[in-house]
Amino acid sequence: MNNEGEFLYNARGVLRAKWYLRNITFQGERVRIYPGLRPLVRSDGEVHIEDRVQLHSTLARIEVGALEGGYLRIGAGTGINYGSVVCASHSITIGERCLFGQHVLLFDSAWHYLDPARRYERPDPEPVVIGDNVWIGTRAMVMPGVTIGDDAAVAAGSVVTRDVPARHFAAGVPAKVIREL
């Protein structure tokens, strides 16, 4: 792609973001949504998307937002790939320069109890915090109450149920810290 073509591609992404994210609380400069399927944006709560965030809704729809009373912050320079779901019922905070693979799921609520007698009750949500410069691989899941430290990485397909310290690599189901980075 030549410089003119790349400029038009980026400009369209910025315009697309302005349109699809028009009802959120705050949208930074040069936020882009790349073409494909229309993203699902929930803006019933407070949503802050910082500068130069890239949302790829190409081969599978991306879902971002906050339910009523929820808070979602996506830090500057973060890229979230297609098929990912990041929707806060209470609080999800994503740091700057994070990279998410395809179909990453971030939950701050389990939505249902395991106990059959309480299956239709909703458990209390627990905040999710993702530090700066975190990489989360394809099809990984981050469960309620988890904090992933700065410069950490999570392997593809992992289910993160416990905190991951800064500058560490976690993998598995459930994810365990494998080594320091």
Side-chain angles (χ1 to χ4, degrees):
M1 190 179 301
N2 64 23
N3 286 342
E4 183 179 331
E6 189 172 328
F7 172 78
L8 289 173
Y9 183 72
N10 285 326
R12 287 184 186 126
V14 169
L15 291 173
R16 203 174 287 111
K18 287 193 183 304
W19 173 255
Y20 287 124
L21 303 173
R22 66 190 178 276
N23 293 324
I24 68 168
T25 312
F26 174 79
Q27 180 181 162
E29 295 295 318
R30 291 187 169 169
V31 173
R32 294 179 188 88
I33 294 180
Y34 288 103
L37 301 171
R38 182 179 66 81
L40 179 56
V41 178
R42 296 181 179 268
S43 57
D44 299 330
E46 198 172 331
V47 179
H48 292 256
I49 299 180
E50 305 295 332
D51 297 343
R52 296 181 180 266
V53 167
Q54 297 181 28
L55 304 173
H56 296 264
S57 193
T58 52
L59 300 177
R61 184 179 311 236
I62 191 170
E63 181 179 348
V64 294
L67 303 178
E68 187 174 340
Y71 171 77
L72 170 65
R73 178 191 175 268
I74 303 175
T78 291
I80 300 177
N81 227 318
Y82 63 81
S84 294
V85 177
V86 180
C87 191
S89 64
H90 174 62
S91 174
I92 296 177
T93 304
I94 301 168
E96 296 183 357
R97 302 175 322 282
C98 294
L99 297 174
F100 289 18
Q102 298 88 348
H103 301 280
V104 169
L105 305 175
L106 265 66
F107 300 111
D108 68 352
S109 175
W111 302 105
H112 305 280
Y113 284 103
L114 288 177
D115 178 9
R118 300 182 70 193
R119 189 87 19 107
Y120 293 98
E121 295 177 39
R122 187 169 165 195
D124 291 333
E126 300 174 64
V128 172
V129 178
I130 310 294
D132 292 336
N133 197 34
V134 171
W135 173 73
I136 300 178
T138 298
R139 294 192 188 277
M141 294 173 56
V142 178
M143 302 306 286
V146 168
T147 296
I148 299 177
D150 294 346
D151 303 313
V154 174
S158 297
V159 178
V160 185
T161 59
R162 292 188 212 132
D163 293 352
V164 177
R167 297 193 57 81
H168 280 78
F169 174 66
V173 179
K176 295 179 183 163
V177 173
I178 304 296
R179 66 183 175 93
E180 190 173 348
L181 297 174

